Amino acid sequence: MSEMNEIKRPYHHGDLKRTIIETALQMLRESEGWQFTLREIARRAEVSHAAPYKHFPDKSALLAELALIGFDQLRADLENSIAPFPDSPIKQLSSASRAYIQFGETNPSHYKLMFSSDAGVKPNQVHLNERAMSTLGVLLDILRRGQIVGAFKKKPVEAQAAACWAQVHGLTLLSIDGLLLKEKVGENAAEAALRTLLEGLQQ
Amino acid sequence: MSEMNEIKRPYHHGDLKRTIIETALQMLRESEGWQFTLREIARRAEVSHAAPYKHFPDKSALLAELALIGFDQLRADLENSIAPFPDSPIKQLSSASRAYIQFGETNPSHYKLMFSSDAGVKPNQVHLNERAMSTLGVLLDILRRGQIVGAFKKKPVEAQAAACWAQVHGLTLLSIDGLLLKEKVGENAAEAALRTLLEGLQQ
DNA sequence: AAAACATAGTTGACAGTGTAAACATATGGC
DNA sequence: GCCATATGTTTACACTGTCAACTATGTTTT
């Protein structure tokens, strides 16, 4: 009688790993930080609380995977943002900066997680950093071509990249933490800050 | 017999609150993040596991207090760093920047905690932000006097402050997370990045 | 000084967590 | 068809934050 109403889920979920990741991403969006529990994820996936351990050795492994996904998304966002301006490194730089900050503001927990080697994420930090570094690649390209075209000062691009990255990283985090208040820092602080940096880069 | 060897600690610890804070600061130094447990703190203080609750309503309250202490220390460091250069805003700015980054590198977990509104710290966020903001005051003073003396461009100081803060905040965190690698970003990336920003500020 | 109260400790309990081990079921290659 | 393997489940453990009930000490009031 009753078993007619019940949808008989098969013993095997079929795509648990993806489901776990998507659920985790969802929970990252829902609340601040990454205090979500593996057991809650399992509950939402309607699976026993230990099932996730067949796909991730421990919670920090899942967090690391989420971080990697974040870096991939961020790089994609950056590349999309610069595509419309193939001939203007300056426009590319400011467009990418805006896209970067927006990514952080749209996915605050995720962004913070990406840079949290502590708070639970320790494994394959090297690998993770490599992927993070590839984000830097987008920036380096812009600066290199900017120097060739004569838009930027001819100084070591790596140093310029560090300056740019630090600037957007800092702005993003300050914004996420609600520290760029109008009263304290003026209207549109991020834009103004980026302009200031740009003036230091341009020749 | 045996009680002769035992030092009879009084029932009341006498200074538990301070001890808790100091132990927590110690544990913040010892390991990454703030996953230390209240119970471990109680153990080290040789006190029962619930005793800390007589001084802090919950763990996040303790974390908030630690964050406040961090901001006080940071501001003190900054003020000390600029004292030797009363007549050179430019020297002040670069000295303060160095001091700021050094604070973060010396106390990585503590620094990250200060900016972690998530991860457990939610209460009196307003109050916390106010204290954070007062750090910004040091920066604003430097920039204001720099403009008067003619060292910096005459633009809204708030925007300049945002640029500077974002820059050092970003550099500090990138450095803490080990992302300012020589191979990727050149020798002494932080110094170079600061110079770049300074060139955008100077007239 | 005695009594009453407030403060700062202790003990014991609870629900919830991450994680491990032992067991169960489905699936794909022989 | 059969078995190894991958993927689930159950059970169990040590530990956590937090609460409630209790107790010792210090302080204030009478």
PDB file of all heavy atoms in Angstrom, chain A residues 22-52:
ATOM      1  N   GLU A  22      27.498  20.641  -5.014  1.00  0.00           N
ATOM      2  CA  GLU A  22      26.489  21.663  -5.281  1.00  0.00           C
ATOM      3  C   GLU A  22      25.767  22.087  -4.013  1.00  0.00           C
ATOM      4  O   GLU A  22      25.481  23.272  -3.813  1.00  0.00           O
ATOM      5  CB  GLU A  22      25.486  21.159  -6.323  1.00  0.00           C
ATOM      6  CG  GLU A  22      25.949  21.482  -7.735  1.00  0.00           C
ATOM      7  CD  GLU A  22      25.252  20.630  -8.780  1.00  0.00           C
ATOM      8  OE1 GLU A  22      24.204  20.050  -8.451  1.00  0.00           O
ATOM      9  OE2 GLU A  22      25.758  20.545  -9.921  1.00  0.00           O
ATOM     10  N   THR A  23      25.477  21.113  -3.159  1.00  0.00           N
ATOM     11  CA  THR A  23      24.840  21.452  -1.886  1.00  0.00           C
ATOM     12  C   THR A  23      25.752  22.359  -1.072  1.00  0.00           C
ATOM     13  O   THR A  23      25.315  23.356  -0.484  1.00  0.00           O
ATOM     14  CB  THR A  23      24.525  20.187  -1.087  1.00  0.00           C
ATOM     15  OG1 THR A  23      23.798  19.281  -1.910  1.00  0.00           O
ATOM     16  CG2 THR A  23      23.700  20.516   0.139  1.00  0.00           C
ATOM     17  N   ALA A  24      27.016  22.010  -1.054  1.00  0.00           N
ATOM     18  CA  ALA A  24      27.968  22.812  -0.279  1.00  0.00           C
ATOM     19  C   ALA A  24      28.047  24.232  -0.839  1.00  0.00           C
ATOM     20  O   ALA A  24      28.056  25.208  -0.082  1.00  0.00           O
ATOM     21  CB  ALA A  24      29.341  22.153  -0.299  1.00  0.00           C
ATOM     22  N   LEU A  25      28.087  24.346  -2.157  1.00  0.00           N
ATOM     23  CA  LEU A  25      28.116  25.678  -2.765  1.00  0.00           C
ATOM     24  C   LEU A  25      26.871  26.463  -2.379  1.00  0.00           C
ATOM     25  O   LEU A  25      26.939  27.656  -2.073  1.00  0.00           O
ATOM     26  CB  LEU A  25      28.212  25.560  -4.289  1.00  0.00           C
ATOM     27  CG  LEU A  25      29.565  25.097  -4.835  1.00  0.00           C
ATOM     28  CD1 LEU A  25      29.483  24.834  -6.333  1.00  0.00           C
ATOM     29  CD2 LEU A  25      30.650  26.119  -4.536  1.00  0.00           C
ATOM     30  N   GLN A  26      25.747  25.764  -2.378  1.00  0.00           N
ATOM     31  CA  GLN A  26      24.494  26.394  -1.987  1.00  0.00           C
ATOM     32  C   GLN A  26      24.586  26.915  -0.550  1.00  0.00           C
ATOM     33  O   GLN A  26      24.214  28.051  -0.262  1.00  0.00           O
ATOM     34  CB  GLN A  26      23.351  25.368  -2.112  1.00  0.00           C
ATOM     35  CG  GLN A  26      21.999  25.892  -1.690  1.00  0.00           C
ATOM     36  CD  GLN A  26      21.576  27.102  -2.502  1.00  0.00           C
ATOM     37  OE1 GLN A  26      21.938  27.239  -3.669  1.00  0.00           O
ATOM     38  NE2 GLN A  26      20.825  28.006  -1.873  1.00  0.00           N
ATOM     39  N   MET A  27      25.103  26.086   0.331  1.00  0.00           N
ATOM     40  CA  MET A  27      25.175  26.490   1.739  1.00  0.00           C
ATOM     41  C   MET A  27      26.180  27.617   1.932  1.00  0.00           C
ATOM     42  O   MET A  27      26.043  28.441   2.834  1.00  0.00           O
ATOM     43  CB  MET A  27      25.534  25.281   2.590  1.00  0.00           C
ATOM     44  CG  MET A  27      24.469  24.201   2.501  1.00  0.00           C
ATOM     45  SD  MET A  27      24.881  22.710   3.423  1.00  0.00           S
ATOM     46  CE  MET A  27      24.321  23.167   5.044  1.00  0.00           C
ATOM     47  N   LEU A  28      27.169  27.641   1.084  1.00  0.00           N
ATOM     48  CA  LEU A  28      28.143  28.737   1.101  1.00  0.00           C
ATOM     49  C   LEU A  28      27.434  30.041   0.762  1.00  0.00           C
ATOM     50  O   LEU A  28      27.754  31.110   1.299  1.00  0.00           O
ATOM     51  CB  LEU A  28      29.223  28.438   0.063  1.00  0.00           C
ATOM     52  CG  LEU A  28      30.694  28.652   0.392  1.00  0.00           C
ATOM     53  CD1 LEU A  28      31.031  28.321   1.824  1.00  0.00           C
ATOM     54  CD2 LEU A  28      31.555  27.845  -0.555  1.00  0.00           C
ATOM     55  N   ARG A  29      26.470  29.933  -0.139  1.00  0.00           N
ATOM     56  CA  ARG A  29      25.718  31.128  -0.518  1.00  0.00           C
ATOM     57  C   ARG A  29      24.747  31.537   0.579  1.00  0.00           C
ATOM     58  O   ARG A  29      24.529  32.720   0.831  1.00  0.00           O
ATOM     59  CB  ARG A  29      24.924  30.846  -1.809  1.00  0.00           C
ATOM     60  CG  ARG A  29      25.666  31.247  -3.095  1.00  0.00           C
ATOM     61  CD  ARG A  29      24.889  30.809  -4.335  1.00  0.00           C
ATOM     62  NE  ARG A  29      25.621  29.777  -5.077  1.00  0.00           N
ATOM     63  CZ  ARG A  29      25.140  28.579  -5.365  1.00  0.00           C
ATOM     64  NH1 ARG A  29      23.919  28.232  -4.993  1.00  0.00           N
ATOM     65  NH2 ARG A  29      25.882  27.717  -6.017  1.00  0.00           N
ATOM     66  N   GLU A  30      24.180  30.534   1.233  1.00  0.00           N
ATOM     67  CA  GLU A  30      23.103  30.812   2.186  1.00  0.00           C
ATOM     68  C   GLU A  30      23.557  31.535   3.440  1.00  0.00           C
ATOM     69  O   GLU A  30      22.844  32.357   3.985  1.00  0.00           O
ATOM     70  CB  GLU A  30      22.434  29.498   2.606  1.00  0.00           C
ATOM     71  CG  GLU A  30      21.476  28.965   1.577  1.00  0.00           C
ATOM     72  CD  GLU A  30      20.966  27.586   1.968  1.00  0.00           C
ATOM     73  OE1 GLU A  30      21.219  27.147   3.097  1.00  0.00           O
ATOM     74  OE2 GLU A  30      20.325  26.944   1.119  1.00  0.00           O
ATOM     75  N   SER A  31      24.731  31.182   3.925  1.00  0.00           N
ATOM     76  CA  SER A  31      25.137  31.770   5.205  1.00  0.00           C
ATOM     77  C   SER A  31      26.617  32.107   5.186  1.00  0.00           C
ATOM     78  O   SER A  31      27.372  31.606   4.376  1.00  0.00           O
ATOM     79  CB  SER A  31      24.845  30.779   6.335  1.00  0.00           C
ATOM     80  OG  SER A  31      25.523  29.580   6.083  1.00  0.00           O
ATOM     81  N   GLU A  32      26.998  32.952   6.098  1.00  0.00           N
ATOM     82  CA  GLU A  32      28.384  33.386   6.154  1.00  0.00           C
ATOM     83  C   GLU A  32      29.296  32.246   6.578  1.00  0.00           C
ATOM     84  O   GLU A  32      28.920  31.409   7.380  1.00  0.00           O
ATOM     85  CB  GLU A  32      28.519  34.525   7.145  1.00  0.00           C
ATOM     86  CG  GLU A  32      27.585  35.683   6.860  1.00  0.00           C
ATOM     87  CD  GLU A  32      28.135  36.976   7.406  1.00  0.00           C
ATOM     88  OE1 GLU A  32      28.839  36.931   8.423  1.00  0.00           O
ATOM     89  OE2 GLU A  32      27.861  38.024   6.790  1.00  0.00           O
ATOM     90  N   GLY A  33      30.463  32.266   6.063  1.00  0.00           N
ATOM     91  CA  GLY A  33      31.452  31.290   6.486  1.00  0.00           C
ATOM     92  C   GLY A  33      31.193  29.900   5.956  1.00  0.00           C
ATOM     93  O   GLY A  33      30.320  29.696   5.105  1.00  0.00           O
ATOM     94  N   TRP A  34      31.937  28.971   6.461  1.00  0.00           N
ATOM     95  CA  TRP A  34      31.792  27.585   5.999  1.00  0.00           C
ATOM     96  C   TRP A  34      31.666  26.678   7.221  1.00  0.00           C
ATOM     97  O   TRP A  34      32.286  25.641   7.316  1.00  0.00           O
ATOM     98  CB  TRP A  34      32.977  27.179   5.127  1.00  0.00           C
ATOM     99  CG  TRP A  34      34.290  27.650   5.640  1.00  0.00           C
ATOM    100  CD1 TRP A  34      35.149  26.986   6.448  1.00  0.00           C
ATOM    101  CD2 TRP A  34      34.910  28.915   5.367  1.00  0.00           C
ATOM    102  NE1 TRP A  34      36.242  27.747   6.704  1.00  0.00           N
ATOM    103  CE2 TRP A  34      36.139  28.919   6.060  1.00  0.00           C
ATOM    104  CE3 TRP A  34      34.560  30.034   4.598  1.00  0.00           C
ATOM    105  CZ2 TRP A  34      37.000  30.022   6.025  1.00  0.00           C
ATOM    106  CZ3 TRP A  34      35.416  31.119   4.564  1.00  0.00           C
ATOM    107  CH2 TRP A  34      36.618  31.097   5.264  1.00  0.00           C
ATOM    108  N   GLN A  35      30.784  27.087   8.124  1.00  0.00           N
ATOM    109  CA  GLN A  35      30.513  26.240   9.287  1.00  0.00           C
ATOM    110  C   GLN A  35      29.476  25.187   8.976  1.00  0.00           C
ATOM    111  O   GLN A  35      29.054  24.450   9.857  1.00  0.00           O
ATOM    112  CB  GLN A  35      30.014  27.064  10.475  1.00  0.00           C
ATOM    113  CG  GLN A  35      30.870  28.240  10.888  1.00  0.00           C
ATOM    114  CD  GLN A  35      30.610  29.439  10.019  1.00  0.00           C
ATOM    115  OE1 GLN A  35      29.762  29.406   9.154  1.00  0.00           O
ATOM    116  NE2 GLN A  35      31.373  30.487  10.236  1.00  0.00           N
ATOM    117  N   PHE A  36      28.984  25.159   7.755  1.00  0.00           N
ATOM    118  CA  PHE A  36      28.039  24.097   7.422  1.00  0.00           C
ATOM    119  C   PHE A  36      28.669  22.747   7.763  1.00  0.00           C
ATOM    120  O   PHE A  36      29.892  22.610   7.768  1.00  0.00           O
ATOM    121  CB  PHE A  36      27.653  24.150   5.946  1.00  0.00           C
ATOM    122  CG  PHE A  36      28.807  23.989   5.006  1.00  0.00           C
ATOM    123  CD1 PHE A  36      29.361  22.746   4.760  1.00  0.00           C
ATOM    124  CD2 PHE A  36      29.331  25.089   4.336  1.00  0.00           C
ATOM    125  CE1 PHE A  36      30.411  22.582   3.888  1.00  0.00           C
ATOM    126  CE2 PHE A  36      30.390  24.934   3.453  1.00  0.00           C
ATOM    127  CZ  PHE A  36      30.928  23.688   3.236  1.00  0.00           C
ATOM    128  N   THR A  37      27.802  21.790   8.072  1.00  0.00           N
ATOM    129  CA  THR A  37      28.342  20.496   8.491  1.00  0.00           C
ATOM    130  C   THR A  37      28.170  19.462   7.382  1.00  0.00           C
ATOM    131  O   THR A  37      27.236  19.535   6.578  1.00  0.00           O
ATOM    132  CB  THR A  37      27.616  19.980   9.741  1.00  0.00           C
ATOM    133  OG1 THR A  37      26.314  19.542   9.368  1.00  0.00           O
ATOM    134  CG2 THR A  37      27.498  21.070  10.781  1.00  0.00           C
ATOM    135  N   LEU A  38      29.080  18.520   7.385  1.00  0.00           N
ATOM    136  CA  LEU A  38      28.981  17.435   6.413  1.00  0.00           C
ATOM    137  C   LEU A  38      27.678  16.680   6.610  1.00  0.00           C
ATOM    138  O   LEU A  38      27.057  16.218   5.658  1.00  0.00           O
ATOM    139  CB  LEU A  38      30.159  16.479   6.584  1.00  0.00           C
ATOM    140  CG  LEU A  38      31.505  16.964   6.048  1.00  0.00           C
ATOM    141  CD1 LEU A  38      32.495  15.824   6.065  1.00  0.00           C
ATOM    142  CD2 LEU A  38      31.347  17.506   4.640  1.00  0.00           C
ATOM    143  N   ARG A  39      27.263  16.565   7.845  1.00  0.00           N
ATOM    144  CA  ARG A  39      26.053  15.798   8.132  1.00  0.00           C
ATOM    145  C   ARG A  39      24.820  16.483   7.560  1.00  0.00           C
ATOM    146  O   ARG A  39      23.898  15.824   7.070  1.00  0.00           O
ATOM    147  CB  ARG A  39      25.929  15.582   9.642  1.00  0.00           C
ATOM    148  CG  ARG A  39      26.980  14.598  10.157  1.00  0.00           C
ATOM    149  CD  ARG A  39      27.029  14.553  11.679  1.00  0.00           C
ATOM    150  NE  ARG A  39      26.409  13.353  12.195  1.00  0.00           N
ATOM    151  CZ  ARG A  39      27.048  12.355  12.811  1.00  0.00           C
ATOM    152  NH1 ARG A  39      28.352  12.403  12.995  1.00  0.00           N
ATOM    153  NH2 ARG A  39      26.408  11.313  13.244  1.00  0.00           N
ATOM    154  N   GLU A  40      24.821  17.804   7.608  1.00  0.00           N
ATOM    155  CA  GLU A  40      23.695  18.537   7.028  1.00  0.00           C
ATOM    156  C   GLU A  40      23.679  18.348   5.509  1.00  0.00           C
ATOM    157  O   GLU A  40      22.623  18.189   4.897  1.00  0.00           O
ATOM    158  CB  GLU A  40      23.797  20.021   7.383  1.00  0.00           C
ATOM    159  CG  GLU A  40      22.794  20.921   6.665  1.00  0.00           C
ATOM    160  CD  GLU A  40      21.351  20.639   7.079  1.00  0.00           C
ATOM    161  OE1 GLU A  40      21.147  20.011   8.141  1.00  0.00           O
ATOM    162  OE2 GLU A  40      20.423  21.035   6.328  1.00  0.00           O
ATOM    163  N   ILE A  41      24.848  18.363   4.922  1.00  0.00           N
ATOM    164  CA  ILE A  41      24.922  18.112   3.482  1.00  0.00           C
ATOM    165  C   ILE A  41      24.353  16.730   3.161  1.00  0.00           C
ATOM    166  O   ILE A  41      23.544  16.561   2.242  1.00  0.00           O
ATOM    167  CB  ILE A  41      26.378  18.213   2.993  1.00  0.00           C
ATOM    168  CG1 ILE A  41      26.836  19.677   3.052  1.00  0.00           C
ATOM    169  CG2 ILE A  41      26.507  17.681   1.572  1.00  0.00           C
ATOM    170  CD1 ILE A  41      28.270  19.864   2.630  1.00  0.00           C
ATOM    171  N   ALA A  42      24.769  15.757   3.965  1.00  0.00           N
ATOM    172  CA  ALA A  42      24.281  14.396   3.753  1.00  0.00           C
ATOM    173  C   ALA A  42      22.756  14.358   3.889  1.00  0.00           C
ATOM    174  O   ALA A  42      22.064  13.728   3.092  1.00  0.00           O
ATOM    175  CB  ALA A  42      24.930  13.453   4.760  1.00  0.00           C
ATOM    176  N   ARG A  43      22.245  15.058   4.898  1.00  0.00           N
ATOM    177  CA  ARG A  43      20.801  15.099   5.100  1.00  0.00           C
ATOM    178  C   ARG A  43      20.104  15.642   3.858  1.00  0.00           C
ATOM    179  O   ARG A  43      19.148  15.075   3.347  1.00  0.00           O
ATOM    180  CB  ARG A  43      20.478  16.006   6.307  1.00  0.00           C
ATOM    181  CG  ARG A  43      20.124  15.264   7.564  1.00  0.00           C
ATOM    182  CD  ARG A  43      20.060  16.225   8.751  1.00  0.00           C
ATOM    183  NE  ARG A  43      21.166  15.997   9.680  1.00  0.00           N
ATOM    184  CZ  ARG A  43      21.934  16.938  10.218  1.00  0.00           C
ATOM    185  NH1 ARG A  43      21.726  18.222   9.909  1.00  0.00           N
ATOM    186  NH2 ARG A  43      22.898  16.613  11.036  1.00  0.00           N
ATOM    187  N   ARG A  44      20.598  16.769   3.362  1.00  0.00           N
ATOM    188  CA  ARG A  44      19.956  17.379   2.194  1.00  0.00           C
ATOM    189  C   ARG A  44      20.048  16.480   0.971  1.00  0.00           C
ATOM    190  O   ARG A  44      19.166  16.491   0.118  1.00  0.00           O
ATOM    191  CB  ARG A  44      20.623  18.727   1.869  1.00  0.00           C
ATOM    192  CG  ARG A  44      20.420  19.759   2.947  1.00  0.00           C
ATOM    193  CD  ARG A  44      20.485  21.149   2.371  1.00  0.00           C
ATOM    194  NE  ARG A  44      20.592  22.154   3.433  1.00  0.00           N
ATOM    195  CZ  ARG A  44      20.706  23.448   3.204  1.00  0.00           C
ATOM    196  NH1 ARG A  44      20.753  23.905   1.964  1.00  0.00           N
ATOM    197  NH2 ARG A  44      20.780  24.297   4.199  1.00  0.00           N
ATOM    198  N   ALA A  45      21.118  15.723   0.899  1.00  0.00           N
ATOM    199  CA  ALA A  45      21.268  14.816  -0.236  1.00  0.00           C
ATOM    200  C   ALA A  45      20.511  13.518   0.007  1.00  0.00           C
ATOM    201  O   ALA A  45      20.522  12.621  -0.824  1.00  0.00           O
ATOM    202  CB  ALA A  45      22.746  14.543  -0.491  1.00  0.00           C
ATOM    203  N   GLU A  46      19.870  13.451   1.163  1.00  0.00           N
ATOM    204  CA  GLU A  46      19.096  12.261   1.553  1.00  0.00           C
ATOM    205  C   GLU A  46      19.935  11.002   1.486  1.00  0.00           C
ATOM    206  O   GLU A  46      19.591  10.023   0.814  1.00  0.00           O
ATOM    207  CB  GLU A  46      17.848  12.132   0.673  1.00  0.00           C
ATOM    208  CG  GLU A  46      16.862  13.253   0.929  1.00  0.00           C
ATOM    209  CD  GLU A  46      15.597  13.076   0.106  1.00  0.00           C
ATOM    210  OE1 GLU A  46      15.741  13.162  -1.133  1.00  0.00           O
ATOM    211  OE2 GLU A  46      14.521  12.876   0.671  1.00  0.00           O
ATOM    212  N   VAL A  47      20.980  11.073   2.222  1.00  0.00           N
ATOM    213  CA  VAL A  47      21.976  10.022   2.191  1.00  0.00           C
ATOM    214  C   VAL A  47      22.526   9.902   3.609  1.00  0.00           C
ATOM    215  O   VAL A  47      22.376  10.823   4.406  1.00  0.00           O
ATOM    216  CB  VAL A  47      23.027  10.459   1.132  1.00  0.00           C
ATOM    217  CG1 VAL A  47      24.307  10.888   1.783  1.00  0.00           C
ATOM    218  CG2 VAL A  47      23.210   9.411   0.085  1.00  0.00           C
ATOM    219  N   SER A  48      23.100   8.787   3.956  1.00  0.00           N
ATOM    220  CA  SER A  48      23.531   8.642   5.341  1.00  0.00           C
ATOM    221  C   SER A  48      24.700   9.579   5.654  1.00  0.00           C
ATOM    222  O   SER A  48      25.433  10.004   4.765  1.00  0.00           O
ATOM    223  CB  SER A  48      23.946   7.214   5.623  1.00  0.00           C
ATOM    224  OG  SER A  48      25.258   7.002   5.175  1.00  0.00           O
ATOM    225  N   HIS A  49      24.865   9.839   6.937  1.00  0.00           N
ATOM    226  CA  HIS A  49      25.824  10.890   7.301  1.00  0.00           C
ATOM    227  C   HIS A  49      27.268  10.552   6.979  1.00  0.00           C
ATOM    228  O   HIS A  49      28.121  11.434   6.974  1.00  0.00           O
ATOM    229  CB  HIS A  49      25.680  11.229   8.794  1.00  0.00           C
ATOM    230  CG  HIS A  49      26.071  10.112   9.707  1.00  0.00           C
ATOM    231  ND1 HIS A  49      25.140   9.280  10.285  1.00  0.00           N
ATOM    232  CD2 HIS A  49      27.270   9.672  10.124  1.00  0.00           C
ATOM    233  CE1 HIS A  49      25.764   8.384  11.022  1.00  0.00           C
ATOM    234  NE2 HIS A  49      27.049   8.594  10.928  1.00  0.00           N
ATOM    235  N   ALA A  50      27.541   9.303   6.738  1.00  0.00           N
ATOM    236  CA  ALA A  50      28.924   8.927   6.445  1.00  0.00           C
ATOM    237  C   ALA A  50      29.198   8.803   4.950  1.00  0.00           C
ATOM    238  O   ALA A  50      30.342   8.651   4.541  1.00  0.00           O
ATOM    239  CB  ALA A  50      29.265   7.631   7.151  1.00  0.00           C
ATOM    240  N   ALA A  51      28.140   8.888   4.172  1.00  0.00           N
ATOM    241  CA  ALA A  51      28.308   8.701   2.728  1.00  0.00           C
ATOM    242  C   ALA A  51      29.319   9.666   2.106  1.00  0.00           C
ATOM    243  O   ALA A  51      30.133   9.259   1.271  1.00  0.00           O
ATOM    244  CB  ALA A  51      26.950   8.815   2.031  1.00  0.00           C
ATOM    245  N   PRO A  52      29.309  10.924   2.504  1.00  0.00           N
ATOM    246  CA  PRO A  52      30.262  11.853   1.886  1.00  0.00           C
ATOM    247  C   PRO A  52      31.712  11.400   2.005  1.00  0.00           C
ATOM    248  O   PRO A  52      32.548  11.771   1.176  1.00  0.00           O
ATOM    249  CB  PRO A  52      30.021  13.164   2.649  1.00  0.00           C
ATOM    250  CG  PRO A  52      28.592  13.096   3.066  1.00  0.00           C
ATOM    251  CD  PRO A  52      28.358  11.642   3.380  1.00  0.00           C
TER     252      PRO A  52
END
